[in-house]
Amino acid sequence: MLVKFKVFDKQLKIVREVKNIDYENSEILFYSDNNAEKKDRCSLDVFRGFDDVIFMMSTGLIDKDGAEIFEGDICYWEKSGFRGIFTVSFGTESLKWIADSNCKFNNLGDYKDYYLKIIGNVYEGSQLYQE
């Protein structure tokens, strides 16, 4: 299984997909903007040390729009007239991805048949992350 990461850059205050991880030098490489897939646009590479970013690991789940759900994402869910919002985190006691809120289910895998939509993350534009 391929493990994918995003990072929150503490300096630029942005979340970006990781292009490369250099474990030997404790550095990561990511694009400075979201135009990395567009061949006609130039995108600057950014190098950061591990201490300068917060890693966000993929859960392997996909939302209704086909976006991959990562640790730290805030998701809206709905099923059979019930709805709610949760934050995705990894439960160190249960060793499972969990929906961190007052929802009925704690195991994120229980939401795979629900309508899920990523509506943000806990880092960008949020008062939840304070340095």
Side-chain angles (χ1 to χ4, degrees):
M1 180 174 121
L2 178 65
V3 179
K4 292 176 65 179
F5 289 96
K6 285 185 178 180
V7 289
F8 172 71
D9 182 324
K10 295 176 185 177
Q11 189 175 7
L12 296 175
K13 308 274 191 251
I14 57 174
V15 172
R16 293 291 183 261
E17 288 189 29
V18 173
K19 183 176 173 185
N20 188 43
I21 300 175
D22 181 351
Y23 292 101
E24 188 174 322
N25 295 310
S26 300
E27 288 183 331
I28 61 109
L29 170 68
F30 61 91
Y31 292 116
S32 63
D33 58 28
N34 281 329
N35 295 319
E37 283 75 37
K38 297 178 182 174
K39 304 292 184 210
D40 60 334
R41 302 238 2 221
C42 202
S43 199
L44 296 176
D45 290 342
V46 176
F47 290 90
R48 291 283 189 257
F50 285 179
D51 292 338
D52 299 323
V53 297
I54 297 173
F55 284 90
M56 301 167 63
M57 189 164 59
S58 171
T59 64
L61 292 176
I62 306 295
D63 81 350
K64 74 146 191 108
D65 295 328
E68 197 164 359
I69 300 174
F70 283 81
E71 181 176 15
D73 281 342
I74 300 170
C75 295
Y76 169 83
W77 66 269
E78 186 176 328
K79 187 173 184 179
S80 302
F82 296 97
R83 60 187 63 87
I85 294 175
F86 62 80
T87 302
V88 176
S89 60
F90 189 77
T92 54
E93 291 178 17
S94 64
L95 299 178
K96 294 179 182 179
W97 290 107
I98 61 172
D100 187 12
S101 73
N102 294 328
C103 299
K104 180 180 177 186
F105 303 111
N106 236 6
N107 182 358
L108 186 60
D110 293 338
Y111 289 92
K112 68 181 180 194
D113 296 326
Y114 284 51
Y115 173 96
L116 288 176
K117 171 94 174 116
I118 298 169
I119 58 174
N121 63 63
V122 297
Y123 302 110
E124 289 179 306
S126 172
Q127 298 301 316
L128 297 175
Y129 173 76
Q130 299 293 322
E131 209 166 352

